[in-house]
Amino acid sequence: MEKQRNVGEIITRMTTLAMLSALGFVLMSFAQFPYPLAPWLKIEISEIVTIIAYALYGLPGGLIVAVIKTALNLLVHGPVGLGIGDLTALFTSLVFVFGLFLTSHIFKWFKKGLGFRVLAYVVIVAIITVTLTVLNAIFITPSYLTVFGPNAHFSTCFEPGVINNVASYITGQKDIQVNGWSYVGIISGVYAPFNLMKAGACFLIYELVFNRLIFVFMHKSEFFQQYFVGITPKKNSDSVEEEDEEIVDEDKKE
């Protein structure tokens, strides 16, 4: 019986991660919204599936879905511009997973009620905003301007003339000359609000739709309690077991 349950759990886990990865790919491909401050950027919410995978299966689940959904996008659409867009998407997913691991596993804020959960969201959004803004300043945006030309190559802001080219592209002003601090200000003014909006939207939708509706139903289902790591049944007073990593608020287990 135990062996049958283990096989069922493995099959359920593999199926769920595959479905989440496929959903993430669909969201990456079709659920995109233009970002007014920078037309080359698109707001998409595929990281919701990464959050759900982490909620259900912890760090391994989050990492698997992050990698597979990005790989699917790369396979279907091809490595456009040396795959700089796919690299950026993967970096973003990994930062999401790191933030979730830090706040749920290290600090355990997701098990301390709504106030700490909101604090965790704020911290993760801040980490994502800072990290992706820095990566765009150093590597992503400079590379974006070079990977589509005849001399396609990955670039950094430390190459001669790169920060002026990036500043000209973003501001629309030809032959603009900027110093290091002005460059940081231009990049921050575009990418910080973008990443803040994108990460904030993902967590808001996750909290309202999944954490407060779908996961509540899953907690009441014996099937989900049996096969999903993040959905644990109530424990009686005679048995004290350490809980797996989960993002679902403990206050909902009534």
Side-chain angles (χ1 to χ4, degrees):
M1 185 66 181
E2 183 64 25
K3 182 178 180 181
Q4 183 178 2
R5 181 188 182 281
N6 291 338
V7 172
E9 183 176 327
I10 292 172
I11 294 174
T12 303
R13 178 178 299 208
M14 292 175 61
T15 303
T16 304
L17 292 177
M19 291 176 62
L20 287 173
S21 300
L23 176 60
F25 161 70
V26 171
L27 291 175
M28 288 178 70
S29 301
F30 303 107
Q32 298 182 347
F33 309 95
Y35 178 55
L37 296 180
W40 66 92
L41 296 176
K42 303 294 182 182
I43 298 175
E44 50 92 4
I45 54 175
S46 66
E47 298 308 333
I48 294 174
V49 301
T50 307
I51 304 171
I52 296 172
Y54 189 98
L56 294 175
Y57 296 120
L59 182 62
L63 291 175
I64 289 171
V65 168
V67 171
I68 294 179
K69 74 181 180 68
T70 306
L72 285 173
N73 191 69
L74 179 63
L75 289 172
V76 173
H77 299 294
V80 179
L82 300 180
I84 187 65
D86 296 293
L87 282 174
T88 304
L90 182 59
F91 287 151
T92 303
S93 296
L94 294 179
V95 177
F96 263 89
V97 173
F98 169 77
L100 290 167
F101 180 78
L102 178 68
T103 54
S104 68
H105 184 77
I106 304 300
F107 297 150
K108 301 186 184 300
W109 285 344
F110 282 101
K111 297 181 180 181
K112 296 180 179 180
L114 177 61
F116 279 94
R117 192 165 68 252
V118 172
L119 175 61
Y121 293 150
V122 171
V123 169
I124 298 172
V125 169
I127 292 173
I128 292 167
T129 300
V130 172
T131 303
L132 268 298
T133 300
V134 170
L135 287 176
N136 271 285
I138 295 176
F139 166 71
I140 296 174
T141 302
S143 293
Y144 179 81
L145 298 184
T146 60
V147 294
F148 295 101
N151 186 27
H153 69 283
F154 292 117
S155 180
T156 71
C157 66
F158 303 108
E159 295 182 16
V162 167
I163 63 172
N164 291 327
N165 292 337
V166 172
S168 296
Y169 181 81
I170 292 177
T171 62
Q173 302 178 27
K174 295 182 178 180
D175 302 323
I176 186 174
Q177 300 293 315
V178 298
N179 57 30
W181 287 112
S182 298
Y183 174 72
V184 171
I186 292 172
I187 291 289
S188 299
V190 172
Y191 288 101
F194 169 75
N195 290 300
L196 183 66
M197 187 183 306
K198 177 180 176 178
C202 288
F203 281 114
L204 180 62
I205 295 173
Y206 166 79
E207 175 65 23
L208 295 180
V209 177
F210 291 93
N211 204 41
R212 294 191 172 275
L213 295 177
I214 296 178
F215 282 171
V216 171
F217 164 76
M218 294 174 73
H219 268 287
K220 296 178 180 179
S221 168
E222 292 183 0
F223 172 80
F224 289 110
Q225 291 177 1
Q226 182 179 7
Y227 290 117
F228 286 79
V229 174
I231 307 299
T232 55
K234 284 185 176 181
K235 299 177 177 62
N236 55 44
S237 57
D238 298 329
S239 142
V240 180
E241 299 175 3
E242 186 172 346
E243 296 186 67
D244 295 295
E245 298 167 0
E246 69 175 298
I247 300 183
V248 184
D249 186 10
E250 292 295 310
D251 295 337
K252 298 195 187 81
K253 295 183 181 180
E254 297 179 357

